[in-house]
Amino acid sequence: MRVPKKDRLAFFKDLYERARSAQDSAFEELDKHFNQYKGDPGIDPAEGEESIARPMNATVVRNITYELVESQITTYIPTPKCDPTSYSERKIRCALATEQYLRAMRNQLPFEEMNDQDERNTYVYGASVWTVEWDESIKTHNTVGGIRTSCLSPRQFVGQPYIYRIENMEYCFLLHETTKEDLVRRFDVSFEEAEETSNDTNGDDDTATMYVCYYKDEDDSICQFIWSNDVVLKDLENYYSRKREYCTRCGKKKQLCDCENPEFKTIDEEYEELDHDIMLSDGETIIPAMSPVYDEEGNPVMEDITEELKDEMGNVVSAFDKMSGLTLPVMIPKQVQKTAPTRLPFYKPKSFPIVIRKNTAKENSVLGQSDCEFIRPQQQAINKVESRIMQKLMKAGVTPCYPDDATVTLNNSIFGQAIRLRPGESMHSYGVIDTQVNITVDVMEADRLYEQAKRILGISNSFQGHADSSAKSGVAIQTQAAQSSGRMDSKRKMKNFAWSQMDRIMFELTLAFADEPRPAAYIDNLGQVQEVEFSRYDFLMLDEETNEYYYDDGYMFSADSSADVATDRNTLWQLNLTNFKEGTYGDPANPNTQLMYWLNQQKAHYPYAQENVERVKAEIERAAEMEQMQAHRKSASGRPLTVNITGLQMTSG
């Protein structure tokens, strides 16, 4: 996309207004879905009644939309899985480090809270918008920079009109609400400039609406432009490039400049030059600090040097120098390949730092299909029926009948009113009219509409945890829940796909900006805590033809298919116990079998599983020590020795 060098603020503001105006109808639908979820009593006008200025409202709202949306909310967070596109020991090692690093990020970032918002955004709006960015302000004792993610409503996203895949867009916009003090801290603007920003949503004087535009330049590089009102907060070309500030006067980096009146300029760094050898995580491979130099055609560049002459034994040959009167080593000319500091390129991602999770795919839309859209007719009809029921009930009752000259008083504290009879008057002159109504048909219709909405979304009573008369056994109930869950499998697949896209972006951002190794710990199959390191240098490969380093980013990201089962911990605990009792792990009386069982329960987060693992390990170690002591005593007595260690029988002598 071509962006002018001048009047850039006006260009991006106009670009946003045109993109936003082209999607007015889509944003109206989003507002309608949100209001429906919140229980809006409004009734849609019938066809041909759009001109009515004052829409009709229901007097009672039975919010089945909220109920059915909330019944689908899950705390399940997909488990990352990384596989190399081709096999090698190095690639397998890198894939393992990447997978464990991403799992560590699941624990470090507040994904539980963001997942809660993501679930509701997806079902209500049809999509949820995630941003995954690198933040240099995140620092620890030994690392600089880290991943920052956020979950946004689709109402905060404006894409390029008529382009329905975000990777095909030339530009897109995000809207953020923030404080003016935050603008001063993050963008190094003055307080006077921050006061000129404005909040375009609620008009609050202390907050500001920040517009962020990501766009692709003519070289297909991602760029960023941020503004609020008439204040430009950031104008960053080559968003993913390493930036370095240097002084135009002395040519030194900003940190090393000591000029009285320095003038700094920011440039993009394409590579780094090594000043020391780098040992990769395998403990064997080394990226040398100095590398051979080749010309443009790939031929080695040679240079002349002089070195000491040595004899066949490797001893330096010396000769008397008449000029100095000293015995000096004999120097001879020699031609060797020229070397220079090794240059390692910086990795540069190519996609927007935005991921859109769709509910289910929708034709000609960057967002997905909203559940609210499909059950809106049932929601509207139920509101009408429930309002009619309430209207009947409010007007129903027992109406008293009495003569015109009867005296009615309101001094009866129990019944609220009383009727005084005249002397000699009979009670037969008075009576009542029962105006009670039958709402059975109305209730049946409301329940019928509710069942329609549930069937549209594929939600059964078993899935909701309600009593299901059609299921007569526990197995039948589980089967119905599984079938209902299977009908919504598409939604889970879309969630897994979106999270795998976020994993891909986190992987690329770490390759691009993490200079220090990122440690990650995990528990192996034996219950031992293992540590791995994600280092961007492990992904560097040397092209033998060009003799240049490049990053091998050929890895596939997905969600672990076993994670769906792992979310239902009670079921998983029971399966592990069943396998243990049936001997799937081995003899249940064998301590090693018990250890395997408790290790599996530990992975499934069974209560006190860790303590049981340690207890069984201690028993195995004590048994082994006792057998060794017995073996030593029998060996000392000179008799044949028979030892049974963990089921393996050995005889000596």
Side-chain angles (χ1 to χ4, degrees), residues 512-532:
F513 298 107
D515 291 329
E516 308 85 9
R518 305 296 161 129
Y522 69 99
I523 299 177
D524 63 12
N525 295 330
L526 299 178
Q528 302 295 326
V529 178
Q530 304 290 344
E531 290 189 1
V532 295

Side-chain angles (χ1 to χ4, degrees), residues 27 30 121 129 151-158 173-177:
F27 276 87
L30 294 179
N121 286 348
V129 179
C151 180
L152 307 177
S153 163
R155 295 190 293 182
Q156 297 174 260
F157 171 81
V158 178
F173 297 90
L174 295 175
L175 279 67
H176 298 275
E177 301 297 328

